[in-house]
Amino acid sequence: APGTVERRVSSVFFTPITLLLVGLFLLLGLLQGQRDIVFLSLLVFGVVSGARLWTKLSFSGIQCRLTVNKRKVFPDDRFILNIYAENKQFLPVWLRVHTTLQGLRDPSSSSNVLEGESSLLWHQRTRFRWEVAARQRGVYFLGPFHMMSGDLFGFFPKERELEGALEVIVYPRLVPIKPFSVPRRDFFGIPGAESPVRDPVYILGTQDYQHGRPAKYIHWKATARHHRLQEKIFEPTEQEKVLFVIDVDQFATKGANEEFERTLETVASIAVVLDRQGCSMGFVTNGSMAGDGSPFLSIKRDPQQLAAILEALARLQMNPQNNLMEIMRGNPGLPWGISCLYFSLEADGSVSMVKEYCRSLTIPILFFMCRPPSAGPGSFNGRLHKDYTLNDILLIGAEIH
């Protein structure tokens, strides 16, 4: 059964020095005609050779599979880690697995070391099971796991590393959010299905063409792909469209790790609230992303969009990689009618550049700062609104164009 075990040590009778002595006894027994000594020496050599061959044959027949019941969790959420092992040989074996977790822990023991040991008969299966949790957000890898196996007595253990490692994503912690209003601008009059004008920017997907619809709504590429007429499905214009912008420059320069984590928790919590309100959301940052994360997520309303934003926040690192304005200008897919929520440590020159860029595109923008400006209203071009806190994140200004 799985459990914490001590590493097995080969028997003292099988050390090189002992085997050399047994060989000398065998030689002396042969010279002196001592059958008992010869028999005992041959027995020792036979056990050693058999145990080594046992280990070599059985080790190649062990197959292990690593699984988790959840790969995306929130801090302090527990998930189950399983290792399924099977002995595909006719020889019984002894098996031990162990690993050291980085950033994860066993909640029951607060240890980051996982160990388990079991004995497997021929064609027998076993499972090693642990509960694991993470204290804070991030991307963690389960593995590498080391497997030690050998003969049933463990005289000649052999170790190898299990192939592959599982990625576990820990979202930012969700915190209560004080209500606030997102500035918006509608360009198509009456929103939703009541509007006589369709918003041509937001296309959710396609469906079979309905007779009587305008031909301009036909999606010709989808029609060619499905070999039947397809029409565009438009996103209702009544939905608010929000772009989250996270500038990591100031956090990295000042080494503000705690403020950075608190900001990401606030962004995640706001995203959850806006998703429940049916808002379309996007994401952009100038920070590096762990793994294969993208620093830009286009604005759309999709059942998986919230999960994509939370995953991006989990992968985001406090390490500036690109210029924020270059990223925004390099992704011209910013649609009309969006609102921008800008998050940074404190107001600096990049705030003014983002403000001018959004003004040129007539995009309403709210600025959220962890630290209030030190030089008063003049430090923000004289456009400070009344300050108020949002979970210790300071909303220092709103530009409505």
Side-chain angles (χ1 to χ4, degrees), residues 87 95 153 163 211 215 302 318 345:
N87 179 18
L95 178 65
F153 304 103
E163 296 181 357
H211 180 70
D302 185 89
M318 200 178 68
L345 178 64

Side-chain angles (χ1 to χ4, degrees), residues 252-272:
T253 302
K254 303 297 178 61
N257 292 280
E258 183 179 350
E259 290 86 348
F260 182 67
E261 295 298 328
R262 192 165 69 245
T263 298
L264 297 188
E265 291 174 359
T266 303
V267 175
S269 304
I270 293 176
V272 171

Side-chain angles (χ1 to χ4, degrees), residues 60-79:
S60 60
I62 299 294
Q63 290 187 358
C64 294
R65 180 168 55 93
L66 179 66
T67 64
V68 291
N69 65 333
K70 293 184 293 185
R71 294 197 182 190
K72 299 178 181 180
V73 296
F74 287 93
D76 296 326
D77 283 353
R78 300 184 180 187
F79 61 93

Side-chain angles (χ1 to χ4, degrees), residues 169-394:
I169 298 173
V170 182
Y171 296 144
R173 193 184 311 274
L174 299 182
V175 294
I177 291 294
K178 296 179 181 179
F180 72 101
S181 59
V182 176
R184 56 177 294 188
R185 173 164 297 182
D186 294 324
F187 291 89
F188 288 88
I190 304 174
E194 299 177 359
S195 174
V197 182
R198 297 280 187 175
D199 189 337
V201 176
Y202 299 100
I203 302 174
L204 284 179
T206 62
Q207 65 181 6
D208 289 340
Y209 177 73
Q210 304 295 321
H211 180 70
R213 301 276 192 179
K216 64 180 180 179
Y217 294 152
I218 296 177
H219 197 298
W220 295 108
K221 290 185 179 179
T223 298
R225 185 167 57 251
H226 293 279
H227 302 291
R228 61 178 182 272
L229 284 177
Q230 297 286 300
E231 67 174 348
K232 303 171 185 176
I233 301 176
F234 297 96
E235 181 177 355
T237 57
E238 62 186 2
Q239 296 174 342
E240 293 184 1
K241 305 166 183 67
V242 178
L243 176 67
F244 293 99
V245 180
I246 301 179
D247 188 351
V248 304
D249 277 333
Q250 287 292 323
F251 294 104
T253 302
K254 303 297 178 61
N257 292 280
E258 183 179 350
E259 290 86 348
F260 182 67
E261 295 298 328
R262 192 165 69 245
T263 298
L264 297 188
E265 291 174 359
T266 303
V267 175
S269 304
I270 293 176
V272 171
V273 172
L274 295 181
D275 180 74
R276 292 173 180 171
Q277 296 175 359
C279 297
S280 300
M281 296 181 295
F283 172 84
V284 63
T285 182
N286 60 345
S288 61
M289 308 294 289
D292 57 352
S294 173
F296 182 85
L297 296 175
S298 59
I299 298 177
K300 61 181 178 179
R301 174 62 181 167
D302 185 89
Q304 301 301 322
Q305 186 70 352
L306 176 61
I309 291 177
L310 293 179
E311 180 175 339
L313 294 174
R315 294 183 181 276
L316 181 58
Q317 298 177 332
M318 200 178 68
N319 179 31
Q321 190 174 35
N322 297 299
N323 183 275
L324 183 60
M325 292 306 305
E326 291 180 359
I327 297 176
M328 296 183 68
R329 291 193 178 102
N331 293 273
L334 297 180
W336 290 94
I338 72 169
S339 301
C340 182
L341 304 183
Y342 180 93
F343 295 82
S344 184
L345 178 64
E346 55 189 27
D348 60 358
S350 61
V351 171
S352 300
M353 289 190 295
V354 171
K355 182 179 65 174
E356 293 300 324
Y357 176 73
C358 291
R359 177 182 297 166
S360 66
L361 297 179
T362 64
I363 296 177
I365 183 170
L366 290 178
F367 294 92
F368 294 86
M369 304 294 164
C370 277
R371 298 177 181 175
S374 56
S379 64
F380 197 64
N381 295 339
R383 286 180 174 269
L384 275 177
H385 289 232
K386 182 179 180 181
D387 298 346
Y388 68 95
T389 58
L390 178 68
N391 295 333
D392 299 328
I393 306 297
L394 189 68

Side-chain angles (χ1 to χ4, degrees), residues 1-6 8 58 62 64 83-87 91-98 115-121 124-130 146-154:
T4 302
V5 296
E6 298 294 333
R8 292 193 176 192
S58 61
I62 299 294
C64 294
I83 293 183
Y84 296 91
E86 181 179 3
N87 179 18
L91 294 173
V93 296
W94 160 75
L95 178 65
R96 179 177 181 268
V97 294
H98 66 96
E115 296 177 307
E117 182 181 2
S118 181
S119 296
L120 295 176
L121 299 178
Q124 187 180 15
R125 299 177 181 178
T126 189
R127 181 183 70 162
F128 301 96
R129 180 183 182 276
W130 301 275
H146 298 275
M147 179 181 71
M148 182 178 294
S149 179
D151 58 277
L152 197 57
F153 304 103

Side-chain angles (χ1 to χ4, degrees), residues 40-59:
L40 180 60
S41 301
L42 291 177
L43 179 62
V44 172
F45 281 123
V47 172
V48 171
S49 301
R52 288 186 182 277
L53 182 61
W54 189 342
T55 298
K56 184 177 181 180
L57 294 176
S58 61
F59 194 75

